[in-house]
Amino acid sequence: MQLIDGKKTSTDIKQEIAAEVAEMTAKGIRRPHLAAILVGHDGGSETYVANKVKSCAECGFESTLLRFEDDITEEQLLAEVRKLNENPEIDGFIVQLPLPKHIDEQRVIETVDPDKDVDGFHPVNVGRLSIGLPGFKSATPAGIIELLRRYNIDTRGKHVVVIGRSNIVGKPVASLLMQKGNPGDATVTVCHSRTTNLPEITRQADIIIAALGKPGFVTADMVKDGATVIDVGTTRVPDATRKSGFRLCGDVDFENVAPKCEFITPVPGGVGPMTICSLMLNTLQAAKQRRGC
Ligand code: GUN
């Protein structure tokens, strides 16, 4: 069993990005600038956004955090999004999700200029990804693909079973893995809450991607010997022994599944750190496109 170290991989990638930014600035090219909109005070969102701002500094990017209280109206938020669309200083931006219930998330996503949509959530970028055109790829799927690439995990002709059909993980990662190339060229099955014979299907998988958000859902009896398991789950489970009062729990029963695997990602330290890395890569790509380099 080999552990896939997302933390180390993400540190390596951030160093590569920082080196590229240093080259850009040495040539007098302005450094990439990411903005983030954070609405309200959700604990998870606060942490994610703080980590994104920290990663910008590590990559040599500029960052701007715009905070609003959760009583902001949809129209006010859309106006802020349009301002960022038009701001020439900003290369790309994200609106941290989830948003308060009175705001239509899809409307916000569709208001972001696709050329600044470094989250890759706009339907234009989702469409580009699904037909293999260049564009911003949703961060978590892109991070998973990068881990497979860097660990030389061949996906060609392999049976990949994705558990979960979300717009930001399940569907795009399935699209990417069925495209031509490596990573890619896989036979992909997408399972979800209405799948009837799930363990029977997952037992056929060479690679399992668990992205359903149910702690410990994938048990040892669902995994064949020698499989690779990618755990996307990051559920906060109360834990009085931790200072934070919680621990992050993956979708895989790691202790019992790991001994059967060829490769497995831990939680935390697997897919999670890669997600931010993809956002940094998308922001670098946005900056290069805007500067014509
Ligand atoms: N909430 C959970 N994951 C994400 C993400 O990747 N981007 C944004 N904007 N919000 C999220």
Side-chain angles (χ1 to χ4, degrees):
M1 186 273 287
Q2 194 185 337
L3 211 56
I4 298 179
D5 188 344
K7 194 156 184 348
K8 181 186 179 302
T9 308
S10 78
T11 303
D12 292 348
I13 294 174
K14 283 191 270 192
Q15 282 170 359
E16 290 161 21
I17 297 172
E20 202 170 331
V21 172
E23 272 179 37
M24 284 169 80
T25 53
K27 288 187 208 150
I29 302 169
R30 197 163 50 82
R31 58 183 74 247
H33 189 166
L34 174 73
I37 292 181
L38 176 59
V39 178
H41 299 273
D42 174 77
S45 294
E46 295 261 7
T47 308
Y48 289 136
V49 170
N51 285 334
K52 288 169 187 178
V53 169
K54 182 167 161 260
S55 294
C56 280
E58 289 165 358
C59 292
F61 296 178
E62 257 188 78
S63 64
T64 297
L65 173 58
L66 299 168
R67 300 197 62 138
F68 301 98
E69 291 303 320
D70 50 20
D71 60 358
I72 189 172
T73 66
E74 185 174 299
E75 282 312 319
Q76 284 168 332
L77 184 59
L78 292 175
E80 295 297 335
V81 168
R82 290 189 191 102
K83 270 200 254 173
L84 290 175
N85 284 343
E86 276 148 34
N87 184 341
E89 299 289 316
I90 302 295
D91 296 303
F93 66 98
I94 61 149
V95 182
Q96 187 65 30
L97 305 178
L99 291 169
K101 291 213 161 26
H102 65 277
I103 297 177
D104 178 350
E105 278 186 0
Q106 196 56 31
R107 204 168 160 220
V108 174
I109 288 169
E110 291 186 29
T111 303
V112 176
D113 177 347
D115 290 336
K116 290 194 176 186
D117 168 39
V118 285
D119 255 335
F121 290 172
H122 192 286
V124 165
N125 284 316
V126 176
R128 283 178 183 155
L129 174 145
S130 76
I131 59 172
L133 291 177
F136 298 118
K137 293 185 176 68
S138 174
T140 302
I144 293 169
I145 297 292
E146 197 54 31
L147 279 180
L148 294 171
R149 192 195 319 279
R150 290 193 181 227
Y151 277 81
N152 294 315
I153 298 169
D154 199 336
T155 59
R156 290 170 297 181
K158 298 289 169 61
H159 186 193
V160 178
V161 173
V162 179
I163 314 174
R165 55 178 158 181
S166 70
N167 288 340
I168 63 175
V169 184
K171 281 181 203 151
V173 83
S175 277
L176 290 170
L177 284 166
M178 72 174 84
Q179 278 166 21
K180 289 187 177 167
N182 187 33
D185 278 340
T187 303
V188 182
T189 303
V190 180
C191 299
H192 47 76
S193 52
R194 296 293 176 132
T195 300
T196 48
N197 51 346
L198 189 95
E200 213 174 286
I201 297 169
T202 57
R203 274 195 291 272
Q204 295 169 31
D206 301 303
I207 300 172
I208 295 175
I209 299 179
L212 70 159
K214 285 198 177 160
F217 181 87
V218 177
T219 47
D221 59 303
M222 294 166 70
V223 179
K224 80 172 176 190
D225 281 326
T228 286
V229 174
I230 308 290
D231 189 349
V232 188
T234 51
T235 307
R236 286 179 163 203
V237 173
D239 184 341
T241 68
R242 305 282 174 106
K243 210 164 68 183
S244 61
F246 69 87
R247 68 192 147 87
L248 280 187
C249 227
D251 289 344
V252 177
D253 171 12
F254 183 89
E255 195 185 331
N256 294 305
V257 169
K260 300 184 82 173
C261 293
E262 185 175 6
F263 292 95
I264 186 166
T265 60
V267 175
V271 174
M274 294 300 294
T275 298
I276 291 190
C277 244
S278 307
L279 176 67
M280 299 297 120
L281 283 168
N282 279 347
T283 306
L284 178 63
Q285 182 187 324
K288 284 161 72 175
Q289 275 163 7
R290 292 173 64 77
R291 310 206 197 334
C293 59

